[in-house]
Amino acid sequence: MINFPRREADALSLSVIGTGYLGATHAVCMALLGHSVVGIDVDENKIRSLASGTLPFYEPGLQELLHRMLACGRLSFSTDFSAAAGADIHFLCVGTPQMPDSPAADLRFLDGALARLAPHLDRACLVAGKSTVPIGTAERLAAFLRSSSPAGDQAELAWNPEFLREGHAVEDTLHPDRLVFGVASEWARDRLAACYAPIIADGTPVVETDPATAELVKAAANSFLATKISYINAMAEICEATGADVNQLATALSYDNRIGGRFLTPGLGFGGGCLPKDIRAFTHRARELGVGQAVGFLQEVDAINQRRRQRTVDLITEMACGDLAGVHVTVLGAAFKPDSDDIRDAPALDVARMLHQAGAKVTVFDPKAMDNARRAYPDLAYADTLEAAVTGAEIVALLTEWDVFRRADPAALGALVQRRNIVDGRHALDAEAYRAAGWDYRALGAPSKLPAPVSQGQGSFIAAAHVAEPV
């Protein structure tokens, strides 16, 4: 178990404003570093859940740490913003979703949180923003903080962006690739350095910038990652037109140390609550600043990513010989990525929805995101186990690469399905193992090969001469 021993004299008093995915993780991890932390949110149900030791979302390892920090007394939660009074650092971890009618970031929740916090800042303190925001937000909030808080100029604002990956949030908080301190003074830098002292002592590099650059670091990092993912998926489209193999292409590219292999896995594309909305907000803000042409390519990055969903539906439709009406399709995965229950802009569920609209009988299974998926997509059918999900399926589509799906035995699954047809939307499976077990295996950007011969009634639509069976 991760532990960062520190002397009590080195501990700070912290408040974390906003206790969603980012805020709850940050509050727990800062308490683990030895600080006294209060998490504050306007959502009473969320605060009640956290205070009782129950995470309102799934994140590996965080539940146990939440229990430990509550038990030791260093962590508490409240809906009362006055609980933040007297803290040395106040971290803003409020969500900045996409506007409902615009690609711009919706900053109303962030602005509202700071407006509630400001009246309680009556002494020298640092407010550190961690939310992903458009460039210029920190400057605007700093002016508001000075004019609205009793501390005036003694309440300073810095920007300290987060770089968490869902499913790896604890590791990314305690052992990040870097810490970015966007500060306007040495005092602010020293406050953040004291907060993260154990992490810095562990060898994590610190990049000190002005607040505007710190804002840009997060937007630029997410845009670069999105571009890399969409690039290999664009190459998959080329491979489909030429008969080339995108997996072999990605392997060859990965050996170039200028490129590397991370985020070069082709497939269904990215989703979630960060990359899609962040690249759109970044593009929108660049246009407002008069430099939209500089990031115009991000529109095509977004378009490539969205095309992967329709192309996956097309591939499944091709496997059904062009007609999905009444075809039993099992979708493996609902969360936007494994080790998460987050279904925000989840490609798997978007594909499931499109299949359902095309007339397919869709059954979904996900190890953690079932409750969220049921609430968001009540028209779909759901199974409680992998085995139940695939039983009787005519096409299986792996759309979220959970380990339980990777490790599944192709022969055992083949004994449960009606037809051994599988679309690997994440290039996560052993294609040869599935083909050896008689499956017709398909993946975007990978050449199709005939499956090994199988017994009557367990073949592909092609082997069955596209004879629809009665439902």
Side-chain angles (χ1 to χ4, degrees):
M1 179 57 65
I2 302 167
N3 233 325
F4 288 93
R6 73 187 293 150
R7 297 177 304 165
E8 187 173 339
D10 296 328
L12 300 174
S13 174
L14 310 177
S15 78
V16 174
I17 311 301
T19 59
Y21 185 87
L22 166 61
T25 301
H26 192 67
V28 170
C29 289
M30 291 303 100
L32 186 64
L33 294 185
H35 302 302
S36 175
V37 183
V38 58
I40 300 175
D41 202 296
V42 296
D43 188 329
E44 294 183 2
N45 291 331
K46 190 184 300 181
I47 290 298
R48 189 179 303 113
S49 176
L50 288 166
S52 68
T54 301
L55 282 176
F57 54 86
Y58 174 73
E59 174 60 33
L62 190 60
Q63 181 82 49
E64 180 187 351
L65 291 179
L66 173 63
H67 285 156
R68 285 180 53 194
M69 295 304 100
L70 288 171
C72 76
R74 290 201 297 269
L75 179 63
S76 62
F77 294 93
S78 178
T79 58
D80 186 353
F81 276 73
S82 68
D88 301 300
I89 304 177
H90 307 272
F91 287 100
L92 298 177
C93 299
V94 180
T96 53
Q98 185 174 328
M99 293 279 284
D101 56 353
S102 164
D106 188 346
L107 302 179
R108 290 175 297 171
F109 307 107
L110 181 62
D111 290 347
L114 188 60
R116 289 185 178 91
L117 174 65
H120 304 288
L121 306 181
D122 58 2
R123 61 194 279 277
C125 62
L126 182 67
V127 176
K130 295 194 73 67
S131 305
T132 303
V133 295
I135 300 172
T137 302
E139 182 179 13
R140 178 176 63 81
L141 294 185
F144 174 84
L145 192 62
R146 289 191 297 270
S147 64
S148 302
S149 64
D153 291 344
Q154 289 189 304
E156 189 170 333
L157 187 128
W159 219 260
N160 172 221
E162 56 85 15
F163 302 98
L164 303 189
R165 298 167 297 161
E166 292 195 30
H168 305 271
V170 173
E171 176 69 16
D172 288 348
T173 301
L174 298 175
H175 301 284
D177 293 330
R178 76 291 203 193
L179 290 166
V180 177
F181 294 168
V183 295
S185 70
E186 291 184 4
W187 177 83
R189 178 201 63 201
D190 293 344
R191 287 279 84 184
L192 288 174
C195 178
Y196 292 108
I199 296 175
I200 296 170
D202 198 41
T204 299
V206 176
V207 180
E208 183 180 342
T209 75
D210 55 83
T213 302
E215 291 172 318
L216 182 56
V217 168
K218 180 57 187 287
N222 278 359
S223 297
F224 189 89
L225 295 177
T227 300
K228 196 170 183 181
I229 294 167
S230 283
Y231 175 82
I232 198 60
N233 284 332
M235 293 302 100
E237 293 184 18
I238 302 297
C239 287
E240 289 165 14
T242 61
D245 190 320
V246 70
N247 284 308
Q248 295 177 8
L249 174 63
T251 299
L253 292 174
S254 71
Y255 283 105
D256 190 326
N257 58 21
R258 298 168 300 175
I259 298 173
R262 297 188 67 189
F263 292 91
L264 271 188
T265 302
L268 183 51
F270 55 82
C274 292
L275 287 189
K277 63 100 174 171
D278 287 352
I279 63 172
R280 294 165 194 158
F282 189 26
T283 304
H284 179 84
R285 181 57 176 154
R287 287 199 200 99
E288 289 182 334
L289 295 170
V291 289
Q293 287 185 329
V295 293
F297 69 92
L298 290 178
Q299 290 179 281
E300 184 56 29
V301 166
D302 195 12
I304 291 169
N305 188 59
Q306 292 300 311
R307 282 203 301 272
R308 304 312 284 169
R309 305 178 186 196
Q310 183 59 56
R311 183 65 191 106
T312 299
V313 173
D314 293 343
L315 187 57
I316 295 170
T317 306
E318 290 170 17
M319 184 166 266
C321 297
D323 186 5
L324 284 169
V327 175
H328 290 253
V329 181
T330 292
V331 168
L332 298 182
F336 86 94
K337 64 176 295 187
D339 295 318
S340 172
D341 64 353
D342 192 344
I343 64 165
R344 289 176 295 175
D345 200 7
L349 284 174
D350 204 16
V351 169
R353 174 189 59 81
M354 289 189 281
L355 293 170
H356 175 73
Q357 291 176 341
K361 295 188 174 182
V362 181
T363 300
V364 178
F365 172 70
D366 186 284
K368 293 294 180 183
M370 296 290 278
D371 290 342
N372 291 338
R374 283 191 180 99
R375 284 191 290 269
Y377 295 86
D379 292 339
L380 299 176
Y382 297 89
D384 293 330
T385 66
L386 171 59
E387 291 75 17
V390 302
T391 296
E394 296 172 87
I395 301 175
V396 176
L398 179 121
L399 303 183
T400 308
E401 63 276 33
W402 287 89
D403 280 345
V404 66
F405 303 150
R406 291 177 183 268
R407 296 194 306 264
D409 178 18
L413 292 184
L416 298 173
V417 298
Q418 185 174 349
R419 304 198 183 282
R420 296 183 187 182
N421 298 304
I422 190 161
V423 171
D424 184 358
R426 295 296 183 179
H427 289 260
L429 304 176
D430 184 337
E432 294 310 314
Y434 273 82
R435 289 184 177 122
W439 289 79
D440 184 359
Y441 171 95
R442 308 283 182 89
L444 297 175
S448 297
K449 299 179 183 178
L450 292 176
V454 293
S455 60
Q456 185 70 25
Q458 292 294 330
S460 68
F461 277 91
I462 296 174
H466 189 38
V467 177
E469 298 191 3
V471 177

